[in-house]
Amino acid sequence: GGGVNFGADEDYQDFYTRDALSRNNTLSYSKSYGSGNIRASVGYSNVFGVVENTGQERIAGRLNFTQKLFDDKLTISGNVSLSRLNDEFAPISGEAGSTGDLIGASITANPTIPIDPNLAPISNQLNPANLLATFTGIRNTERFLANVTGKYQFTDNFAANVTVGYDKAYIQTTSAFSSAVLGRDGISGIGRGNYNVNNNINKLLEAYFEYDQEFDNVKLNVVAGYAYQEFDRNGVFANAAGFNTTDLGEIRGQLQNQYETTRAEIGDDFLNFGYGNDLNYFSQFQAGTDGENEIVFQDLPSNFTRIIPAYVAGTFDNADELQSGFVRANLEFNDKFLVTATARYDGSTVFGPENRYEFFPSGAVAWKLDQEDFVGDAISTLKLRLGAGVVGSQDGLSYAGFLPRFVPQGAGIANDLNINAIPGVGLAGNNNPFLKWEETTDYNLGVDFGFNEDRLNGSINVYRKETRDLLIQSQLAAPTDNPDGISFQNLPEGVVINQGVELALNYDFINTDDWGFSTSFNIAYNNNEVQDLDRFIDYAPINGAGLTNAFAQRIATGQSLGSFYMAEFTGFDEAGFPTYRDINGDGVGDENSDKFFVGQDALPDVTTGLSLNGRFKNFDLSASFNGQFGFSVYNATDNAFYTPAGLLIGKNVTNSVINDVVNGVQDPSQTVAVSSRFLEKGDFVRLQSASLGYNWPLSGEGLFDSLRLSFTGQNLFLITGYSGLDPEISVNTGSLNASNIPSRGIDYASFPRPRTYTLGVNVTF
């Protein structure tokens, strides 16, 4: 593949990345008996990231079971799993500023300086060795998941099903820089850290009846039922400053212990608490004179324990509910005509009371043409499908965003360890009782086909999807009840259209006792366009030196989502100043006033995949390719670190800086704006995976019933003209103007995609 052409910074590139050995072990046991079966497994994996101080350790156990009772009329099945994940992460962020994060600091580090964590960086730089040595990031996740389903067959035609589920995830995250970090304003010499706990509980109840009946040439299947889910979320968010140690293990312990200790001394019914050199407080709900609860702030006890000099913490506890009534009917006539109709009535508490419930219908018809006499024997499968339906989305919405409500406001910690904002009560959410579901209407037409007993088979699908009532977080126009002026709302106008065609083909070339070879191929074309929008929305901020409030994408009518909006770079003038295309006709090309849609976007027009599978006796070989075409990537890494002025302070710079400045093309004092200069085609083909396996022939009389050896490689090669690390990597660079729209097609100091090789041994006994 390509690679960003940076200067000779190989020492630091090698410093923060590594070749890592990982392992994955699984042991399972299964047994079937007359009235049921059981399967249990336990696994352990330890995966080290390709970036230093990153990785994941996972321990998991799972139990699946099925049991029949009452003359096989009642079937109880279920699964239970318990897992523990220990994640370690490094100081990497797509929202890093001009000094960058670990990867950015490694790119710009002067390659002539030694790799020494105690070496102080020069102006506006960070020492990546120091960042790794002074940062700790640990996330521990404990998850318990259980689902049990009971099915009772009243008659041959009528059955009832009930499923109950419980999913609990406890996530504890601790991250901190010690005071020994260098070059970080507000952190160096102080030390700052965060402690967060998320306790998420998801409860599920689903009950439905199922009816099957045949009437001469008609088959009928009807399912009707009810589903309910409750999502409980509670937890802690805390930050601290002024650690009295540089030991990262002790810092993690202090962040957790300070919270637990203070909670034990003031009780559990607080909303937030905090203290510094100048202030200490905690808040809780108390009954007001009007009978309503009010938030009251009080002083912490005078003898409360201070493990850390300054600490602020808050809690949250909320719940949302989702319920659905549904019915689905399937009809089949003469084994050749099929009709499906579905109706759902869904309700969610994240929406306003006026539009909390919505009706979502769908339907489809199909004709098995291969059952008709006029279709020849060479055609083994031929089915025509036509369908349409509406689905709803609540993605991105948070608790009670439609409702203004009072919440305790937290506080920050100043560099002198004073509380820099006296806590109080603020207003969250916005009065929007009409907040409703985002709806997508899907129309689709398809053909399934097969020849020669489906030796060659495939499908063609044509679709159109229209998404309306778009949910978006935006800045509200004044006046507003919310002092932050930020809330989710449905765009009253605007529709996003996705339409395209998909083709899938499978062919079994060879299938004998000793030899086999088959292939699968798919290709899809999609066209995305925003229509009828009476506004535009800027997003995808670009971070780096001199790029404050810079952005690369805009949503507007007539454009695709992910469309790039920027100035068009046209070269340099005789004085070495960058020049841009004049769009507004004032005779001067300007990077700000002459922005326009440059005709490129981040969504691929064509996606494709190819799988090859072969076997010879006990050997098997497989390979999987994927590709994307017709999209662009904004190389924000190259933009952020194209810093000619960095040469004056000993920064490492991109090769293009050397070429431009040394050759006198660009004036080194000039800043680099967002422009088409850093916009590149992202088309690529990747060998996603390849695997060679061998099934060891066994007699069945020894210890092992079967033995399989395999060797697998992933991300083996990439063919692309993109100069960055990987055109398929997209970084969320943050929120612009509170829109919180995730960017796509932005490459900024991305976490590198690893190339992995796996040796596997599978045995049964």
Side-chain angles (χ1 to χ4, degrees):
V4 181
N5 296 318
F6 295 107
D9 193 14
E10 296 180 0
D11 289 340
Y12 269 102
Q13 293 289 330
D14 292 340
F15 163 72
Y16 80 88
T17 60
R18 63 185 175 185
D19 295 329
L21 181 66
S22 303
R23 63 184 184 273
N24 187 359
N25 307 299
T26 303
L27 178 66
S28 62
Y29 171 81
S30 61
K31 180 177 179 60
S32 296
Y33 48 92
S35 59
N37 59 72
I38 188 172
R39 187 179 191 278
S41 64
V42 60
Y44 174 81
S45 64
N46 195 358
V47 179
F48 295 94
V50 294
V51 172
E52 292 283 352
N53 292 2
T54 66
Q56 182 184 87
E57 180 185 45
R58 185 176 188 270
I59 307 169
R62 185 178 181 88
L63 174 68
N64 292 8
F65 64 89
T66 300
Q67 178 67 54
K68 293 182 179 293
L69 302 168
F70 305 121
D71 297 326
D72 294 344
K73 289 184 176 295
L74 176 63
T75 301
I76 299 176
S77 60
N79 61 79
V80 179
S81 64
L82 183 64
S83 63
R84 164 86 180 204
L85 274 69
N86 301 317
D87 293 294
E88 183 180 16
F89 54 92
I92 298 174
S93 171
E95 301 181 36
S98 60
T99 55
D101 56 5
L102 172 65
I103 295 177
S106 299
I107 291 172
T108 59
N110 189 317
T112 65
I113 64 174
I115 298 176
D116 180 358
N118 298 314
L119 184 66
I122 59 178
S123 175
N124 199 37
Q125 291 192 50
L126 296 174
N127 178 350
N130 175 257
L131 291 181
L132 276 179
T134 58
F135 178 82
T136 178
I138 300 292
R139 181 182 299 109
N140 304 122
T141 303
E142 297 176 354
R143 187 177 184 188
F144 173 76
L145 174 64
N147 288 282
V148 178
T149 298
K151 179 177 181 179
Y152 192 84
Q153 196 77 39
F154 290 96
T155 68
D156 292 340
N157 308 106
F158 184 67
N161 298 264
V162 177
T163 297
V164 292
Y166 183 84
D167 183 0
K168 180 178 181 179
Y170 178 84
I171 307 167
Q172 178 179 280
T173 305
T174 308
S175 61
F177 275 107
S178 78
S179 59
V181 66
L182 302 172
R184 298 294 298 265
D185 291 341
I187 305 178
S188 298
I190 301 172
R192 290 183 182 269
N194 300 280
Y195 173 66
N196 295 278
V197 172
N198 289 274
N199 192 31
N200 303 323
I201 300 175
N202 179 6
K203 302 173 185 176
L204 168 69
L205 170 65
E206 185 177 72
Y208 62 92
F209 295 103
E210 188 172 7
Y211 177 73
D212 292 280
Q213 185 65 57
E214 292 190 30
F215 307 94
D216 296 328
N217 294 327
V218 177
K219 295 179 181 179
L220 172 67
N221 172 265
V222 178
V223 173
Y226 171 82
Y228 172 83
Q229 277 186 282
E230 180 181 275
F231 305 91
D232 292 318
R233 299 171 291 265
N234 63 79
V236 178
F237 50 93
N239 60 81
F243 301 113
N244 51 24
T245 178
T246 58
D247 184 278
L248 296 176
E250 291 185 20
I251 288 175
R252 290 196 303 269
Q254 289 180 0
L255 282 166
Q256 179 177 354
N257 293 338
Q258 182 66 79
Y259 176 80
E260 298 294 345
T261 299
T262 309
R263 187 183 69 167
E265 294 177 356
I266 64 176
D268 290 327
D269 61 343
F270 66 90
L271 300 173
N272 61 8
F273 72 81
Y275 63 82
N277 286 339
D278 61 336
L279 185 68
N280 68 80
Y281 67 91
F282 74 99
S283 67
Q284 60 186 164
F285 280 122
Q286 291 186 5
T289 56
D290 58 358
E292 297 291 334
N293 286 340
E294 60 183 10
I295 300 173
V296 177
F297 285 85
Q298 305 173 63
D299 291 337
L300 286 168
S302 58
N303 60 345
F304 78 95
T305 304
R306 294 195 182 203
I307 301 174
I308 303 173
Y311 197 93
V312 294
T315 63
F316 63 92
D317 189 352
N318 56 66
D320 284 309
E321 301 175 13
L322 177 67
Q323 60 179 339
S324 304
F326 55 88
V327 59
R328 185 190 69 233
N330 294 320
L331 280 171
E332 183 175 346
F333 302 92
N334 296 324
D335 291 328
K336 62 178 69 173
F337 300 105
L338 298 93
V339 179
T340 298
T342 302
R344 296 185 63 93
Y345 192 61
D346 294 338
S348 174
T349 57
V350 300
F351 295 110
E354 299 295 331
N355 290 310
R356 184 158 293 171
Y357 290 88
E358 194 63 65
F359 177 66
F360 300 110
S362 64
V365 294
W367 181 12
K368 294 182 178 179
L369 289 166
D370 54 70
Q371 300 298 313
E372 300 290 357
D373 295 336
F374 58 79
V375 175
D377 293 337
I379 300 177
S380 50
T381 297
L382 185 60
K383 182 166 69 173
L384 179 65
R385 298 176 279 105
L386 177 65
V390 183
V391 295
S393 173
Q394 58 176 352
D395 290 348
L397 292 184
S398 57
Y399 170 73
F402 63 89
L403 182 68
R405 63 196 188 280
F406 289 103
V407 296
Q409 289 183 324
I413 303 173
N415 292 344
D416 58 3
L417 304 187
N418 288 335
I419 301 299
N420 61 12
I422 297 177
V425 176
L427 192 63
N430 187 67
N431 187 21
N432 185 8
F434 297 97
L435 189 67
K436 61 178 298 186
W437 294 82
E438 181 179 283
E439 295 187 4
T440 298
T441 303
D442 182 6
Y443 308 94
N444 57 84
L445 173 66
V447 178
D448 300 326
F449 55 86
F451 301 93
N452 193 14
E453 297 183 351
D454 284 354
R455 185 175 177 182
L456 170 64
N457 65 84
S459 64
I460 300 175
N461 295 287
V462 180
Y463 64 88
R464 177 182 172 91
K465 298 180 180 181
E466 303 175 356
T467 302
R468 292 181 168 82
D469 297 317
L470 301 167
L471 288 168
I472 190 168
Q473 182 174 288
S474 61
Q475 197 86 27
L476 298 173
T480 173
D481 293 333
N482 188 333
D484 295 327
I486 300 171
S487 179
F488 266 100
Q489 59 177 315
N490 298 101
L491 292 183
E493 76 300 320
V495 56
V496 177
I497 305 294
N498 282 281
Q499 53 189 352
V501 59
E502 302 168 328
L503 170 66
L505 292 172
N506 307 287
Y507 187 58
D508 196 355
F509 286 89
I510 303 172
N511 190 3
T512 67
D513 290 342
D514 290 338
W515 288 89
F517 178 69
S518 63
T519 182
S520 298
F521 173 76
N522 64 80
I523 188 170
Y525 168 79
N526 182 74
N527 179 66
N528 178 278
E529 184 178 344
V530 178
Q531 298 179 358
D532 303 327
L533 190 65
D534 67 353
R535 69 189 77 183
F536 59 81
I537 303 170
D538 298 329
Y539 68 111
I542 302 300
N543 303 310
L547 294 171
T548 303
N549 296 324
F551 65 94
Q553 294 174 334
R554 169 177 283 187
I555 298 175
T557 291
Q559 303 295 328
S560 166
L561 293 176
S563 290
F564 290 102
Y565 182 82
M566 58 189 59
E568 180 181 333
F569 176 72
T570 55
F572 298 95
D573 62 18
E574 294 181 355
F577 286 57
T579 60
Y580 304 95
R581 179 181 171 188
D582 178 21
I583 296 298
N584 60 13
D586 63 0
V588 179
D590 182 79
E591 68 267 29
N592 295 313
S593 60
D594 287 308
K595 292 180 179 180
F596 71 110
F597 287 105
V598 295
Q600 300 181 52
D601 63 73
L603 303 182
D605 297 328
V606 176
T607 58
T608 184
L610 174 66
S611 296
L612 305 173
N613 298 279
R615 60 177 176 83
F616 173 67
K617 294 186 177 180
N618 293 322
F619 289 93
D620 57 79
L621 177 68
S622 64
S624 177
F625 299 83
N626 70 294
Q628 296 181 9
F629 307 92
F631 75 104
S632 297
V633 179
Y634 192 80
N635 195 337
T637 307
D638 206 0
N639 191 172
F641 302 118
Y642 187 98
T643 52
L647 292 171
L648 304 176
I649 58 173
K651 269 190 174 184
N652 191 35
V653 295
T654 64
N655 280 338
S656 51
V657 171
I658 301 297
N659 295 333
D660 292 346
V661 175
V662 172
N663 294 331
V665 177
Q666 174 164 343
D667 187 310
S669 67
Q670 293 301 299
T671 59
V672 180
V674 172
S675 73
S676 61
R677 181 179 185 179
F678 304 103
L679 190 60
E680 305 181 40
K681 291 295 185 181
D683 299 0
F684 72 88
V685 173
R686 185 193 308 274
L687 177 53
Q688 185 66 39
S689 66
S691 179
L692 175 64
Y694 180 71
N695 296 301
W696 202 286
L698 299 174
S699 65
E701 297 179 356
L703 175 62
F704 300 138
D705 293 332
S706 68
L707 172 61
R708 174 175 170 77
L709 306 177
S710 63
F711 181 73
T712 301
Q714 292 182 304
N715 189 31
L716 294 177
F717 68 74
L718 176 70
I719 302 173
T720 183
Y722 177 61
S723 66
L725 291 180
D726 194 327
E728 201 175 10
I729 290 178
S730 186
V731 176
N732 186 3
T733 55
S735 178
L736 184 71
N737 299 326
S739 66
N740 206 32
I741 300 173
S743 56
R744 178 164 180 171
I746 309 295
D747 181 5
Y748 178 54
S750 304
F751 195 105
R753 183 191 298 263
R755 177 178 293 117
T756 63
Y757 302 97
T758 304
L759 178 64
V761 179
N762 298 81
V763 298
T764 60
F765 49 89

